[in-house]
């Protein structure tokens, strides 16, 4: 397309929305203007009316997409996976196999006080799922003097129908983390941003669960990714050093996965999330009518019946009625050893503007709870006999 890739064509830009709206207005104006001028009046009156209605629908969809950033690029709308590394500085190949080749670039950025976001295609051996993922490594990760240091980890989960570039490029989460680390508001940490849904993205909301007769997303996002990080990166293995965070469906995923896997995670942040999977035209019945599977992925049921020592921050905007109702259910169900903090942001709304405005205090909250990197001490040798 004239040298452009679909993933570089933004759909969430205000100018794009304005242009679509102008075209829609022109199509609407064309109907009465040409009403009696057509040679074949019945045919062309019908055609122009239908086209005008379609134009209005497209303009309305563009406006909704601008507010919610459901499809930030044409590539995400079409479900194409080209240029998946948007917002990243290097591609490290399948499962990060080419990470050593990217180390000089990381060194250069680290010398300037910046961490680096890298793109890879990650294959989960247990789940059998292969998708894109981004990896943020903090400044100093490649410093030879820090070669024994292991870092805490945050898995940041996109909302539906988002992808890693939503978190990295659109919301700028890794930039916020980079700044928080530089300003000592967060300890140096590794951030993993996996694709939670894959492609195609139409009608494909998988909610990060191991669906009945479906994809093993839970296994992919927890066991597979956790094991890969432990074997490939220098990260701390303790549950106290692992956190999950996300927006919208990513917020639900963060809470649900943390409570389902208390052996792996101790912290969860839900930004405008909810407490159970929807059963709608986009998601469908992920559990094939099985109440046991539904209960096993219900955050309120976990808090009430299977509480684990987990620190949870759940937030929503004051104008988000469904999310506020979810917060009330969480507060009513939470019992020790869960530590639940809820917060309502003024105004808000389920859109990218609100997400960006609310993210800085969420990053700071995480920063106060993540443990610092550690360098394992060497065992003291036994004295010679």
């Amino acid at each position: 397309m004239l040298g452009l890739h679909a993933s570089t064509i933004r759909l969430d830009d205000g100018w794009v929305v304005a242009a679509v709206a102008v075209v829609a207005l022109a199509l609407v104006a064309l109907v009465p203007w040409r009403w009696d001028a057509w040679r074949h009046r019945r045919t062309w009156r019908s055609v122009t009316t239908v086209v005008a209605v379609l134009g209005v629908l497209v303009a309305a969809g563009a406006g909704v997409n601008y507010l919610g950033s459901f499809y930030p690029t044409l590539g995400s709308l079409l479900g194409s996976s080209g240029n998946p590394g948007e917002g990243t500085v290097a591609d490290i190949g399948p499962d990060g196999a080419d990470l050593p080749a990217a180390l000089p670039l990381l060194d250069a950025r680290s010398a300037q006080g910046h961490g680096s976001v890298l793109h890879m295609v990650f294959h989960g051996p247990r789940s059998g799922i292969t998708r894109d993922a981004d990896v943020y490594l903090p400044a100093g990760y490649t410093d030879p003097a820090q070669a024994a240091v292991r870092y805490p980890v945050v898995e940041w989960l996109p909302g539906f129908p988002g992808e890693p570039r939503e978190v990295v490029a659109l919301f700028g989460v890794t930039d916020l983390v980079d700044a928080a680390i530089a300003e000592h508001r967060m300890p140096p940490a590794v951030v993993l941003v996996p694709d939670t849904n894959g492609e195609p993205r139409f009608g494909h909301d998988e909610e990060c669960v191991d669906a009945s007769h479906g994809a093993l997303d839970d296994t992919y996002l927890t066991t597979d990714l956790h094991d890969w990080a432990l074997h490939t990166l220098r990260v701390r293995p303790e549950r106290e050093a692992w956190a999950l965070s996300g927006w919208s469906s990513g917020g639900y995923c963060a809470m649900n996965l943390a409570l389902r896997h208390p052996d792996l995670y101790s912290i969860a942040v839900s930004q405008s999330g909810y407490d159970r999977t929807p059963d709608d035209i986009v998601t469908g019945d992920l559990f094939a009518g099985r109440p046991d599977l539904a209960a096993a992925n219900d955050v309120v049921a976990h808090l009430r019946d299977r509480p684990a020592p987990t620190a949870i921050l759940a937030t929503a905007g004051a104008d988000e009625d469904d999310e506020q109702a979810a917060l009330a259910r969480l507060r009513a169900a939470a019992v020790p050893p869960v530590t639940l903090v809820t917060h309502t942001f003024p105004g808000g709304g389920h859109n990218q503007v609100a997400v960006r405005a609310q993210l800085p205090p969420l990053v700071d909250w995480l920063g106060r709870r993540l443990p610092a990197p550690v360098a394992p001490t060497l065992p003291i040798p036994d004295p010679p006999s």
Side-chain angles (χ1 to χ4, degrees):
M1 189 186 296
L2 300 178
L4 295 176
H5 196 281
S7 65
T8 67
I9 300 174
R10 307 296 304 188
L11 299 182
D12 57 359
D13 186 278
W15 289 106
V16 173
V17 178
V20 173
V22 169
V23 171
L25 288 173
L27 293 173
V28 170
L30 179 66
V31 175
W33 180 55
R34 295 286 300 177
W35 191 255
D36 293 319
W38 299 112
R39 176 176 296 180
H40 304 287
R41 292 182 180 177
R42 180 175 297 177
T43 298
W44 286 106
R45 284 176 178 177
S46 300
V47 170
T48 53
T49 300
V50 170
V51 171
V53 170
L54 291 176
V56 171
L57 291 175
V58 171
V64 171
N65 186 64
Y66 174 74
L67 293 175
S69 188
F70 301 110
Y71 299 99
T73 67
L74 181 60
S76 61
L77 177 65
L78 298 176
S80 64
S81 59
N83 192 25
E86 180 177 297
T88 63
V89 300
D91 193 301
I92 55 174
D95 298 326
D98 297 332
L99 176 59
L103 295 183
L105 176 59
L106 272 63
D107 283 336
R109 291 181 54 81
S110 184
Q112 299 173 350
H114 297 296
S116 300
V117 184
L118 310 167
H119 170 261
M120 69 173 180
V121 175
F122 174 58
H123 169 69
R126 298 195 186 186
S127 64
I129 294 173
T130 300
R131 294 178 189 155
D132 295 318
D134 287 347
V135 179
Y136 167 87
L137 300 179
Y141 185 89
T142 58
D143 184 352
Q146 307 294 321
V149 171
R150 293 185 172 270
Y151 295 84
V153 182
V154 181
E155 286 186 43
W156 214 293
L157 307 176
F160 175 79
E163 51 196 316
R165 75 190 79 174
E166 172 195 83
V167 173
V168 174
L170 181 65
F171 296 152
V173 167
T174 47
D175 289 338
L176 291 173
V177 169
D178 211 40
I181 293 173
E183 296 166 8
H184 306 292
R185 292 181 285 110
M186 174 183 278
V190 169
V191 181
L192 308 176
V193 189
D195 189 337
T196 55
N197 283 285
E199 298 169 351
R201 301 192 184 278
F202 290 108
H204 193 61
D205 185 4
E206 299 188 357
E207 295 291 324
C208 309
V209 303
D210 281 356
S212 178
H213 312 299
L216 302 180
D217 291 287
D218 180 328
T219 301
Y220 180 73
L221 298 168
T222 58
T223 304
D224 283 341
L225 192 58
H226 189 273
D227 288 350
W228 173 85
L230 289 180
H231 287 92
T232 309
L233 305 175
R234 297 198 321 277
V235 298
R236 294 184 59 168
E238 312 96 320
R239 65 178 298 273
E240 291 79 12
W242 281 73
L244 285 156
S245 183
W247 171 65
S248 189
S249 62
Y252 159 75
C253 293
M255 292 189 293
N256 185 50
L257 295 179
L259 291 168
R260 280 179 54 79
H261 300 277
D263 56 324
L264 302 182
Y265 309 95
S266 69
I267 305 168
V269 175
S270 169
Q271 183 182 13
S272 295
Y274 38 87
D275 55 330
R276 62 178 75 106
T277 62
D279 184 357
D280 53 28
I281 191 172
V282 176
T283 308
D285 183 1
L286 295 169
F287 309 118
R290 289 182 53 180
D292 58 328
L293 292 181
N297 290 276
D298 186 317
V299 175
V300 167
H302 279 293
L303 293 175
R304 183 185 61 238
D305 304 326
R306 300 176 293 277
T310 308
I312 300 175
L313 171 63
T315 74
D319 297 337
E320 297 180 280
D321 294 338
D322 291 342
E323 290 76 8
Q324 285 294 330
L327 291 187
R329 291 191 292 270
L330 296 178
R331 285 192 292 265
V335 295
V338 172
T339 302
L340 173 69
V341 177
T342 62
H343 180 76
T344 295
F345 289 100
H350 216 71
N351 58 72
Q352 60 171 305
V353 176
V355 173
R356 289 197 189 101
Q358 296 167 9
L359 274 170
L362 270 63
V363 170
D364 286 348
W365 187 89
L366 266 174
R368 293 192 296 271
R369 279 153 185 83
L370 283 175
V374 296
T377 55
L378 297 175
I380 300 174
D382 294 329
S385 55

